[in-house]
Amino acid sequence: MALPLEGRSAIVTGAGRGLGRAEALELARLGAAVVVNDYGQPGRDGTGEASAAPAEQVAAEIRAAGGTALAHTGDIADAEQARALVDLAVREFGALDVLVNNAGILRDRMVFSMTEEEWDSVVRVHLKGHFTTTRLAAAHWRERSKATGAPVYGRIVNTSSEAFLAGSAGQPNYAAAKGGIVGLTTSTALALAKYGVTANAICPRARTRMTEDVFAGLARPDTGLDPLAPEHVAPLVGYLASPAAARVNGQLLVVHGGMVAVMERPRVAVQFDSKQETFTYDELDALLTPHYAGRPVGETFAATEVLGLRRERSGTA
């Protein structure tokens, strides 16, 4: 029986550790040839011995398990290095079929204390880093589709965050970038659907090197898989990259701890119409002030309830 991604090729950014590593391993397990991207050069291990770059370590892990993988250590937020990444996949594997955008950094601080560099660096790596690879992959698929006159196989899986959904107070740069990624995803999904390409975004919750401070207060279980293990997220990425997910497009899904939640698109809660040609201040005051007076104190557009999502276990142990 053929594997779901047999004969396909994939790129995973930020795949040297954590979520990206788990995702790259899962795609390879499902049969894909993978380009493992992670910005970082060879270093030294705990004994002082030379060690391979994280991307090469994961690529070697995939090859050792019988898969096909290459490493790329460029900065995906740099347009030319992103182009080299996509060109590598196309040159070595004949085409690109799957793009998983995962690379990111954190520079957490309250908005009144955040520096311009802390804002720019996070938006650059997350939002621009998603755009650079998406633009190149989209052009590749469009050209292939035009050459054949038929849809092609293309999958994009982007990485947003519950920080965008719930409005993380200490992460204005990160929440803004992750919200931008959702906008990029839905726009891309509509633009590329006619070429046979899907684009979806996930909001993963996982304990990684990047989030170790965020989840420092949550203890690891003594037995069993950590609910915050990246391995809970990787299967969803594998599914979204597969032929089975052909009808899943422009969607946002929350995933962690054995649970997947499909988020509903924003809907209009109420509409107010002016009785004149246009609104006046007094008319708006008469309509909006009592409306919000009846809403819960502290309620905003943020969906804080997503932070309470947990796997619901059924039956008895």
Side-chain angles (χ1 to χ4, degrees), residues 223-247:
T223 60
L225 186 64
D226 183 354
L228 292 173
E231 287 74 16
H232 287 295
V233 176
L236 177 60
V237 172
Y239 167 75
L240 292 174
S242 76
R247 289 178 58 86

Side-chain angles (χ1 to χ4, degrees), residues 229-281:
E231 287 74 16
H232 287 295
V233 176
L236 177 60
V237 172
Y239 167 75
L240 292 174
S242 76
R247 289 178 58 86
V248 185
N249 193 29
Q251 301 299 308
L252 179 64
L253 303 96
V254 176
V255 54
H256 58 81
M259 181 221 72
V260 172
V262 178
M263 300 305 298
E264 190 170 20
R265 65 181 177 85
R267 296 182 181 274
V268 178
V270 62
Q271 177 179 329
F272 297 102
D273 298 311
S274 174
K275 294 180 180 179
Q276 303 141 137
E277 184 176 2
T278 188
F279 276 112
T280 63
Y281 169 87

Side-chain angles (χ1 to χ4, degrees), residues 30-197:
L30 295 176
V34 183
V35 179
V36 179
N37 161 266
D38 200 88
Y39 186 49
Q41 300 302 317
R44 300 282 175 181
D45 62 19
T47 66
E49 294 294 321
S51 62
E56 181 52 52
Q57 292 179 33
V58 176
E61 189 175 353
I62 290 172
R63 292 192 295 268
T68 301
L70 299 169
H72 178 271
T73 58
D75 173 9
I76 46 87
D78 179 279
E80 289 309 309
Q81 294 183 56
R83 183 177 299 279
L85 170 61
V86 174
D87 287 348
L88 175 63
V90 174
R91 182 177 67 251
E92 296 298 324
F93 302 140
L96 174 64
D97 300 301
V98 177
L99 170 63
V100 179
N101 285 310
N102 169 76
I105 61 172
L106 287 180
R107 298 290 185 272
D108 293 353
R109 203 176 299 277
M110 299 296 284
V111 68
F112 42 76
S113 301
M114 181 160 289
T115 67
E116 185 176 2
E117 189 281 329
E118 288 166 340
W119 174 273
D120 288 347
S121 61
V122 168
V123 172
R124 177 185 182 275
V125 175
H126 287 273
L127 187 52
K128 186 182 177 184
H130 273 61
F131 162 72
T132 54
T133 54
T134 295
R135 177 175 67 90
L136 294 163
H140 169 70
W141 288 320
R142 180 173 178 266
E143 290 170 8
R144 283 172 51 197
S145 179
K146 289 183 122 182
T148 61
V152 298
Y153 189 99
R155 299 284 188 270
I156 298 174
V157 182
N158 288 332
T159 308
S160 183
S161 171
E162 291 170 295
F164 151 66
L165 289 171
S168 180
Q171 298 179 302
N173 48 2
Y174 184 69
K178 291 305 191 181
I181 286 168
V182 174
L184 172 64
T185 302
T186 54
S187 175
T188 301
L190 292 174
L192 300 186
K194 65 181 178 181
Y195 301 117
V197 178

Side-chain angles (χ1 to χ4, degrees), residues 1 69 161 211 261 291:
M1 182 176 177
S161 171
T211 62
H291 171 74

